[in-house]
C-alpha cells in the first residue's frame, strides 16, 4: 500500500518557545494512524534536534529539514549538509520548494545535486514541483512540471527514485488561500505518475507517494486526500496552528 503523508512545512516561522508549544500540542493530541500513514514535521534547522527528541516516542511521526546544501562539507559559510542532517537523526528533507527556486535561485541542476547528496546520506527527499500562475493560465502546466522532473529527477536510478516523495505544489496556490481544486490536483498527480511510469515503469510509479501542497487546510484536506492519486499533503500556513494541523492529520487517517 502506498505511504500516505501529512507533512508540515513551518518555513521560517516561530521562536524557540513558539516551536516548542506547537510541537507539544501535536505530541499530546491523539491520533490513530495506520502503518502506511505518517506525519513529517519540517521545522527551521535550529529546532530539528529538539523536535526529534520530542517526537522520539511517536512511531508514525518523523522529522524533516526544509533544505540542504549541494556539498557534503567545506567552506560554505551558513550552509547545512545532508550528512549533518542524517547525523542528528533527521529522516526527510524538502528539496526544490518553489520559495527556494524563486528567492534563492535554485536551478534544476542544483536540485539534482541536492537529491543526490540527500539520497547518498540516507535521507528521504520530498521533491517539490509545480507551475506558476502564468503557465497555468496558458495551460502549460504539464510540460512545465515534466521539465522540472527531467531536470532534477530523471537521472536517478529506480532504486533511488523509490526513496523519493514528490510534492506537487502549484506556485499560484502557495500561501494565497487559493488551493487547486480536487480535479486539478488529481489531474496533475495522475500526469506526474504517468511520467514516472514512462520513465521507470508502472510498478514503481504506482508505489510512489505524491503529496499536494498549496493552501491546504482543515476545510479542504478531506476532499483533496480523497483523490486517488493524492497521497497526502505538504502544509505550510495551516501547519502553524496546532488545531488546524491536527484536523489535517485526522483527514489523512480517516
Ligand atoms: P501553504 O504552503 O500551505 O501556506 O500554501 C505550502 C508550502 O509552501 O509547502
Amino acid at each position: 500500500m502506498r505511504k500516505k503523508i501529512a507533512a508540515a512545512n513551518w518555513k521560517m516561522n516561530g521562536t524557540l518557545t513558539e516551536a516548542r508549544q506547537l510541537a507539544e500540542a501535536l505530541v499530546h493530541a491523539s491520533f490513530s494512524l495506520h502503518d502506511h500513514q505518517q506525519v513529517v514535521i519540517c521545522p527551521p534547522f535550529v529546532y530539528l534536534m529538539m523536535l526529534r527528541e520530542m517526537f522520539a516516542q511517536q512511531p508514525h511521526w518523523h522529522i524533516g529539514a526544509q533544505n540542504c546544501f549541494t556539498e557534503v562539507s567545506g567552506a560554505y559559510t551558513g550552509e547545512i549538509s545532508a550528512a549533518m542532517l542524517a547525523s542528528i537523526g533527521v529522516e526527510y528533507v524538502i528539496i526544490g520548494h518553489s520559495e527556494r527556486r524563486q528567492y534563492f535561485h535554485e536551478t534544476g541542476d542544483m536540485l539534482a545535486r541536492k537529491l543526490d547528496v540527500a539520497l547518498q546520506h540516507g535521507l528521504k527527499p520530498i521533491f517539490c514541483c509545480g507551475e506558476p500562475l502564468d503557465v497555468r493560465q496558458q495551460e502549460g502546466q504539464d510540460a512545465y512540471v515534466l521539465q522540472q522532473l527531467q531536470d532534477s529527477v530523471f537521472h536517478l536510478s529506480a532504486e533511488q527514485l523509490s526513496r523519493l516523495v514528490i510534492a506537487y505544489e502549484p506556485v499560484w496556490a502557495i500561501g494565497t488561500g487559493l488551493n487547486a481544486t480536487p480535479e486539478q490536483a488529481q489531474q496533475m498527480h495522475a500526469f506526474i505518475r504517468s511520467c514516472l511510469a514512462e520513465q521507470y515503469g508502472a510498478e514503481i510509479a504506482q508505489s510512489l507517494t505524491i503529496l499536494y501542497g498549496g493552501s491546504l487546510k482543515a476545510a479542504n484536506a478531506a476532499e483533496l486526500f480523497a483523490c486517488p492519486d493524492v497521497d497526502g499533503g505538504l502544509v505550510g500556513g495551516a501547519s502553524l496552528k496546532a488545531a488546524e494541523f491536527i484536523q489535517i492529520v485526522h483527514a489523512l487517517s480517516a
Side-chain angles (χ1 to χ4, degrees), residues 61-177:
W61 292 65
H62 304 265
I63 304 301
Q66 297 173 17
N67 182 31
C68 70
F69 192 49
T70 50
E71 306 305 319
V72 175
S73 66
Y76 302 104
T77 302
E79 291 297 333
I80 306 277
S81 74
M84 293 173 186
L85 296 173
S87 77
I88 63 164
V90 165
E91 286 176 74
Y92 284 88
V93 59
I94 298 173
I95 302 282
H97 191 280
S98 65
E99 287 151 17
R100 301 287 326 166
R101 294 176 189 261
Q102 186 182 346
Y103 304 134
F104 303 96
H105 313 294
E106 295 193 357
T107 62
D109 283 349
M110 284 171 73
L111 300 177
R113 172 88 185 117
K114 288 186 179 203
L115 286 178
D116 291 343
V117 286
L119 288 164
Q120 270 162 23
H121 291 87
L123 298 174
K124 297 173 190 141
I126 300 175
F127 177 77
C128 301
C129 55
E131 80 287 354
L133 183 61
D134 58 324
V135 171
R136 168 67 63 166
Q137 282 167 338
Q138 289 156 32
E139 295 182 3
Q141 63 271 16
D142 287 4
Y144 191 93
V145 168
L146 174 58
Q147 187 68 53
Q148 288 180 319
L149 295 172
Q150 282 169 340
D151 289 347
S152 306
V153 173
F154 281 2
H155 70 288
L156 299 175
S157 69
E159 185 282 322
Q160 288 174 315
L161 182 82
S162 70
R163 292 188 272 142
L164 230 65
V165 171
I166 307 274
Y168 169 58
E169 298 207 303
V171 180
W172 47 270
I174 296 177
T176 59

Side-chain angles (χ1 to χ4, degrees), residues 9 11 97 99 169 173-176 213-216 234-238:
N9 176 9
K11 307 193 180 183
H97 191 280
E99 287 151 17
E169 298 207 303
I174 296 177
T176 59
S215 297
L216 190 63
L234 179 55
V235 190

